Amino acid sequence: MCGIIGISSNKSVSVSIINSLKKLEYRGYDSAGIATLFDGEITEVKSEGRVNVLEENFDLKNLKGNIGIGHVRWATHGAPNSINAHPHSSDNVSVVHNGIIENSTILKKYLTSKGHIFKSQTDTEVIVHLITENLKTDELDLAITKTLKQLHGSFALGIIFKDSPNLIVGARRGSPLAVGYGPNENYLGSDSYALKAMTNKITYLDDGEFCIIRNDQVLFFNEDGKKINKKIMELSSDESSYEKGEFKHFMAKEIEEQPTTIKTGIKEYIDKTNLDINIYNFPWKVDEINSITLIGCGTAYHSCLMAKYWFENLTQLDVNIDIASEFRYRKNRFKKDSLYIFVSQSGETADTYAALDLCNRNKMKTCAVVNVIESSIARDSNFVLPIHCGPEIGVASTKAFLGQILILYILALKFGDLRKETNKENYKNKIKGLLNLPSLIEKSLLMDNDIQAISSTFNEAKGSMFLGRGFSYPIALEGALKLKELSYVHAEGYPAGEMKHGPLALIEDGMPVVVLAPRDSYYKKTISNMQEVIARGAKVLLITNKSKDEIISENIWETIEVENTNDDLLPFLLTIPLQKLAYYSALQKGYDIDKPRNLAKSVTVE
Ligand code: F6R
């Protein structure tokens, strides 16, 4: 949610800032801007729209300055136009911000009474004027310490100053921020991906900290303004993960990468020789745990729901799931024998982090299932299970979803075994089954033609429904989410058995309905529900698995058959055609698949 970049160098920085902003666009793309400092003057340029619009509107290559900051915005306060685009500047100070200032109205009143004039509708502009005001009486580091304490809410900030022409200040509370180190230059960025082309040496700021970056020095401070030391980490440099290669979109590439995601997960967690799971170092005894709560947002929440079915089948644990934005404000009953599992691709989602923080403050056992292992959620959890799927750049999550459900399935198996709630033979058989999963996914990926032909029906319809029961229900929700976020078609995921309690009223002649009915223990029930929607005129796309038995229903519009495997693993295979359906629907409409409207990856605001 908004991306920020800052560079302090011994040479001109505008081109590097623009290149980094292009990498950060997945975090926000409704406006973009940069500010550089040259010859004692700050020059600010900004535009509504994407970074390429900014490039078209201004001669950025000739924008002088060895110090600069840049921003791509996902609007929170104020419309996405050029006035509200960042940076925001006073005569002396220019700021880029990711986050939300919750007390901006009060601060604005105070600053207006002091004579400050506001140009935008943003909350960010109060930061500019507050620093400007504090600099009237205090030295820079004190003015920053004071300002940060006056701000309520979340922020990652990059700040430059006309009167301190050789430095950038970075500050973090709630929203992620990394510092990078290069030859004769140092950087500030919302994530390491933005800095990747320039450096692999990174330090992450922790909450409350700020830093002062010069081209030859970086200093770190705690929230009281005391100097602190921080470690530099070296990131691996697998550049190919950051390129689209032969693919038209990152999403297409990431869908095709899923066999590798599963192979890597198996390599990391499965002992193939002994058919065992390599997770040994839990910081707690698993038999001290009586309940688990899985928490996430969006697709990650669907992973939690998927995991509930597996944990309930393989263990005797009480299993709860929660949407992070709900959990964080409820009166939760924290019990000593509970484990809280946080699921997140980015590891930076504000609501999920806040839920984790709440559990940590209540001294709960916490575990993170994340992709970005340097993330806040990973760093602040007692135990981390990385999903190892490599960078996911497309805003719509695909390979991270399969990665998350793989790790959660493995964890459920491990708990079942350690607690002696899954019998040993069953445990080993299930692990054996997992070893075939990558090749089954590879086969399921070969169905493009059928799905391309089907997708136009979804685009032409007023709305669509995705139905499933049991293991297929979370996948139905995920399929509906993918379709709505990519092709902006109304799509609703529903438990098939719930239709007659209301949503059946939506079904009308020709409405496309996806029914997930693999031949598992729910098959017959789901087929009955399918008949109920067919009887009311629905055009049913049935997704099932291959079988020698005939399908026990008539009048189905289209059928897609995925490979056959055991019931536990069918959800992985059912997901693939749904991802492709969403992809091809959006492609047909000519939408921006990697950057759907109104969305951004890594939701670091509430
Ligand atoms: C949907 C999607 C989102 C994310 C959600 C949580 O395709 O990507 O729903 O799953 O914003 O993000 P993470 O997993 O980074 O916490």
Side-chain angles (χ1 to χ4, degrees):
M1 273 313 52
C2 300
I4 70 176
I5 179 83
I7 305 180
S8 172
S9 178
N10 63 353
K11 55 182 196 287
S12 172
V13 293
S14 59
V15 171
S16 302
I17 290 180
I18 288 296
N19 290 339
S20 303
L21 284 184
K22 285 182 182 160
K23 294 232 158 80
L24 282 172
E25 260 193 333
Y26 74 95
R27 303 178 69 92
Y29 33 86
D30 56 43
S31 55
I34 71 177
T36 57
L37 187 60
F38 179 71
D39 218 7
E41 287 303 324
I42 293 175
T43 308
E44 178 195 280
V45 292
K46 43 199 203 177
S47 272
E48 186 179 337
R50 307 222 166 153
V51 179
N52 60 349
V53 178
L54 186 71
E55 274 181 308
E56 279 158 25
N57 289 350
F58 300 97
D59 179 14
L60 296 175
K61 286 197 182 89
N62 289 318
L63 185 63
K64 289 186 178 148
N66 295 356
I67 293 256
I69 50 178
H71 189 266
V72 282
R73 180 166 187 246
W74 184 85
T76 57
H77 288 56
N81 56 33
S82 61
I83 294 173
N84 292 328
H86 299 211
H88 293 282
S89 310
S90 66
D91 287 345
N92 182 26
V93 177
S94 189
V95 172
V96 285
H97 169 216
N98 168 26
I100 291 183
I101 303 305
E102 285 168 358
N103 57 340
S104 61
T105 312
I106 299 168
L107 289 172
K108 195 167 177 179
K109 233 183 199 168
Y110 159 71
L111 290 160
T112 308
S113 75
K114 293 267 178 191
H116 293 265
I117 295 166
F118 286 79
K119 292 177 258 180
S120 74
Q121 288 92 49
T122 65
D123 52 340
T124 304
E125 211 182 341
V126 299
I127 308 172
V128 178
H129 293 287
L130 199 55
I131 299 172
T132 309
E133 185 62 25
N134 288 334
L135 278 170
K136 287 182 187 164
T137 49
D138 299 312
E139 291 298 312
L140 187 129
D141 49 351
L142 196 60
I144 293 297
T145 311
K146 198 163 153 183
T147 304
L148 300 182
K149 290 199 169 165
Q150 287 169 298
L151 298 175
H152 298 173
S154 65
F155 50 79
L157 301 172
I159 313 161
I160 56 174
F161 308 83
K162 190 176 89 173
D163 297 337
S164 304
N166 60 351
L167 60 85
I168 303 174
V169 168
R172 176 200 163 149
R173 188 196 298 153
S175 307
L177 196 58
V179 167
Y181 308 85
N184 301 316
E185 55 185 27
N186 292 308
Y187 323 99
L188 194 65
S190 290
D191 59 29
S192 55
Y193 173 51
L195 307 179
K196 201 95 184 172
M198 301 181 286
T199 183
N200 67 342
K201 292 194 173 60
I202 298 284
T203 300
Y204 286 95
L205 263 75
D206 285 311
D207 263 1
E209 294 174 353
F210 72 93
C211 60
I212 296 181
I213 298 178
R214 296 183 174 84
N215 70 331
D216 56 356
Q217 181 195 48
V218 180
L219 300 173
F220 293 97
F221 302 85
N222 69 12
E223 61 192 342
D224 297 318
K226 295 227 162 63
K227 256 193 219 159
I228 51 170
N229 293 321
K230 294 195 58 92
K231 279 194 190 137
I232 299 178
M233 21 196 307
E234 246 175 74
L235 303 175
S236 66
S237 54
D238 176 11
E239 286 303 326
S240 63
S241 310
Y242 296 97
E243 305 299 335
K244 278 192 280 221
E246 72 203 73
F247 294 93
K248 229 174 159 175
H249 300 99
F250 277 108
M251 184 184 178
K253 175 173 178 255
E254 288 157 6
I255 289 175
E256 297 301 322
E257 281 173 351
Q258 293 179 113
T260 310
T261 300
I262 303 297
K263 273 184 208 156
T264 314
I266 290 174
K267 192 169 132 235
E268 293 290 328
Y269 291 100
I270 304 289
D271 170 353
K272 288 187 193 172
T273 318
N274 298 308
L275 294 179
D276 205 349
I277 291 170
N278 292 328
I279 306 177
Y280 297 112
N281 44 351
F282 287 118
W284 355 264
K285 290 197 178 106
V286 285
D287 46 14
E288 281 172 4
I289 296 168
N290 285 320
S291 80
I292 60 169
T293 299
L294 297 122
I295 299 170
C297 300
T299 290
Y301 170 73
H302 297 157
S303 301
C304 298
L305 179 56
M306 191 65 249
K308 179 176 166 74
Y309 287 88
W310 287 324
F311 271 100
E312 284 178 349
N313 268 17
L314 297 164
T315 74
Q316 298 292 318
L317 289 159
D318 274 343
V319 189
N320 308 299
I321 51 165
D322 227 315
I323 290 176
S325 55
E326 289 298 312
F327 177 86
R328 63 183 290 189
Y329 292 116
R330 267 215 320 274
K331 285 202 187 309
N332 298 290
R333 308 282 177 267
F334 290 110
K335 293 195 192 131
K336 274 205 173 110
D337 60 357
S338 299
L339 168 66
Y340 290 82
I341 300 177
F342 298 87
V343 183
S344 174
Q345 186 285 128
S346 63
E348 298 293 350
T349 300
D351 286 319
T352 312
Y353 183 80
L356 165 67
D357 188 47
L358 182 65
C359 291
N360 281 340
R361 280 188 275 122
N362 282 280
K363 305 203 170 3
M364 292 292 102
K365 302 173 181 69
T366 57
C367 170
V369 174
V370 291
N371 191 30
V372 182
I373 50 175
E374 308 89 14
S375 62
S376 308
I377 291 174
R379 280 181 287 148
D380 290 350
S381 295
N382 301 152
F383 190 60
V384 184
L385 293 167
I387 62 176
H388 296 296
C389 75
E392 190 181 63
I393 313 293
V395 164
S397 195
T398 51
K399 62 176 180 174
F401 176 66
L402 280 211
Q404 287 160 3
I405 63 173
L406 175 73
I407 305 311
L408 291 166
Y409 180 57
I410 289 175
L411 190 64
L413 280 170
K414 187 71 183 176
F415 267 62
D417 182 51
L418 289 176
R419 295 163 58 87
K420 302 192 176 31
E421 290 164 347
T422 303
N423 111 4
K424 208 56 165 185
E425 199 187 329
N426 199 13
Y427 172 71
K428 290 199 182 281
N429 277 338
K430 283 179 187 287
I431 293 175
K432 214 174 183 175
L434 259 180
L435 303 182
N436 293 325
L437 189 56
S439 68
L440 296 176
I441 293 178
E442 266 159 24
K443 286 186 189 144
S444 304
L445 284 166
L446 301 173
M447 292 179 297
D448 292 56
N449 292 345
D450 303 347
I451 299 171
Q452 276 189 56
I454 288 166
S455 55
S456 60
T457 300
F458 285 80
N459 283 340
E460 285 152 17
K462 241 180 14 200
S464 58
M465 298 208 69
F466 287 66
L467 309 179
R469 294 182 82 125
F471 291 133
S472 303
Y473 166 48
I475 307 303
L477 293 183
E478 178 57 9
L481 178 62
K482 287 289 97 91
L483 187 69
K484 67 185 126 189
E485 70 176 321
L486 290 168
S487 61
Y488 321 150
V489 169
H490 181 77
E492 192 150 5
Y494 232 81
E498 222 4 58
M499 285 297 284
K500 58 179 89 59
H501 301 288
L504 208 48
L506 289 171
I507 304 293
E508 53 186 48
D509 228 21
M511 181 185 196
V513 175
V514 178
V515 177
L516 301 176
R519 285 108 184 318
D520 58 10
S521 53
Y522 301 89
Y523 178 59
K524 288 194 179 143
K525 301 277 172 211
T526 315
I527 293 292
S528 302
N529 300 138
M530 180 174 78
Q531 278 156 350
E532 288 157 12
V533 294
I534 291 175
R536 283 153 185 89
K539 253 179 136 170
V540 163
L541 165 60
L542 170 69
I543 305 186
T544 184
N545 54 326
K546 287 182 180 154
S547 163
K548 53 184 180 347
D549 303 327
E550 267 185 48
I551 293 163
I552 47 170
S553 186
E554 286 175 355
N555 300 323
I556 297 164
W557 166 53
E558 291 285 354
T559 303
I560 290 177
E561 289 185 334
V562 298
E563 295 302 306
N564 203 6
T565 180
N566 70 55
D567 289 6
D568 288 359
L569 301 184
L570 283 168
F572 290 88
L573 306 185
L574 297 176
T575 304
I576 309 287
L578 300 184
Q579 292 172 339
K580 294 215 169 200
L581 176 67
Y583 177 79
Y584 284 117
S585 301
L587 189 69
Q588 223 170 57
K589 286 180 142 180
Y591 290 161
D592 191 341
I593 292 180
D594 287 331
K595 298 187 186 90
R597 75 176 176 207
N598 302 338
L599 300 179
K601 207 158 182 80
S602 195
V603 184
T604 53
V605 294
E606 256 199 89

